[in-house]
Amino acid sequence: KNEVEQSPQNLTAQEGEFITINCSYSVGISALHWLQQHPGGGIVSLFMLSSGKKKHGRLIATINIQEKHSSLHITASHPRDSAVYICAVRPEKFYFGTGTSLTVIP
Amino acid sequence: KAGVTQTPRYLIKTRGQQVTLSCSPISGHRSVSWYQQTPGQGLQFLFEYFSETQRNKGNFPGRFSGRQFSNSRSEMNVSTLELGDSALYLCASSFGLGLGDEQFFGPGTRLTVL
C-alpha cells in the first residue's frame, strides 16, 4: 500500500509547455512537500504546503486538503527543469511518492 | 552559511561489514533526518533526531541505528551489511520539527555493498 501516489511517472515536454504533476495521499498530514532531484542526487525542497497555493517563479504548488490531492505546475518549462520531482507528506514521519521524471526538450 | 555536509561521499564495503555515515547540519539547525534512496524503493524515511533524541523512526531493521550529538551533528550506523543496503543515504536538517520548518538536504553518501 502506497501512502503517496504520483502521476505521471515519466513526462516529456517541449520547452515552453505548461506542466502538471499530481500527488494523491491517503494519510492525514501536517504538511506536504515538493522536492526536486537533479541527476547526481542533490535534492532541493521546492515547496512546503499545508493549505492553498504557493508560487515561486515559474513554479506553482496547490493543495486540496479535503480531496487529499496536490499539484505542482511549471509554467513556460525550460530544459533546466529536467529533474525528478518527488511529493512527500508528513503525518508524524515522512512518506514519499515514487517521483515523476521530467525531461524538457529544447 | 554552509549547507548540509555528509561524509564520506562514496563508500564501498563488503557484506557483513558495518559502516558509519556522518551528517553535519546547517549551523543553528537542531533537527536531522536520514533517508535511504534506492532505484527499487525510492526514498524511504530512516529516522529523525531533534536535540539528541530520536523523535521518529521508519520501518527499517535494527541493523540501522543513529545518534545525534550535542552540536547537532548526526551519525548513522548500519551493521552486518547486506547487498540490499546499497543505496544513496541522504540526510536533511531543519531548524526545528515545526510545520514551517523547511528541510535542507545534503549531497548524500553513496554506499555500495559488494
Side-chain angles (χ1 to χ4, degrees):
Chain A
K1 176 175 91 72
N2 292 327
E3 289 82 2
V4 183
E5 299 280 356
Q6 273 185 248
S7 63
Q9 279 193 305
N10 297 284
L11 186 54
T12 300
Q14 292 287 334
E15 183 174 356
E17 283 187 10
F18 181 84
I19 288 162
T20 296
I21 299 170
N22 295 299
C23 174
S24 295
Y25 54 92
S26 58
V27 294
I29 67 169
S30 58
L32 181 143
H33 299 246
W34 281 103
L35 310 173
Q36 180 192 56
Q37 185 171 32
H38 281 283
I43 291 180
V44 174
S45 176
L46 297 174
F47 293 103
M48 185 168 53
L49 293 161
S50 56
S51 64
K53 176 179 171 178
K54 285 190 176 180
K55 184 175 189 292
H56 185 258
R58 296 178 294 105
L59 273 60
I60 302 166
T62 63
I63 188 168
N64 185 317
I65 297 291
Q66 286 72 32
E67 295 185 3
K68 294 189 174 180
H69 181 269
S70 176
S71 293
L72 176 67
H73 305 287
I74 304 176
T75 62
S77 58
H78 189 276
R80 65 174 174 265
D81 297 327
S82 297
V84 175
Y85 293 82
I86 302 167
C87 171
V89 299
R90 181 179 181 139
E92 72 291 345
K93 65 179 185 180
F94 279 100
Y95 297 93
F96 296 92
T98 53
T100 295
S101 180
L102 171 65
T103 302
V104 180
I105 300 169
Chain B
K1 191 185 258 191
V4 178
T5 58
Q6 291 186 247
T7 57
R9 293 292 312 278
Y10 301 91
L11 203 49
I12 299 175
K13 291 284 189 178
T14 56
R15 278 181 299 173
Q17 287 187 309
Q18 75 165 24
V19 66
T20 299
L21 311 182
S22 181
C23 173
S24 293
I26 291 172
S27 177
H29 284 190
R30 296 163 65 192
S31 175
V32 173
S33 299
W34 288 91
Y35 306 93
Q36 182 197 64
Q37 188 176 38
T38 59
Q41 299 293 323
L43 262 172
Q44 293 182 282
F45 171 75
L46 278 158
F47 20 67
E48 177 178 49
Y49 288 89
F50 180 80
S51 294
E52 301 178 67
T53 302
Q54 188 179 91
R55 299 299 175 122
N56 286 300
K57 190 176 189 303
N59 298 323
F60 278 83
R63 301 185 295 107
F64 291 81
S65 63
R67 58 179 176 168
Q68 186 180 33
F69 302 96
S70 58
N71 62 358
S72 295
R73 191 178 69 85
S74 178
E75 288 181 347
M76 66 163 281
N77 184 277
V78 188
S79 63
T80 320
L81 284 166
E82 300 177 359
L83 295 179
D85 297 332
S86 294
L88 179 67
Y89 290 88
L90 292 153
C91 83
S93 77
S94 61
F95 180 75
L97 294 173
L99 185 62
D101 289 312
E102 183 182 355
Q103 290 218 322
F104 295 84
F105 285 81
T109 294
R110 189 164 295 280
L111 171 65
T112 302
V113 182
L114 302 176

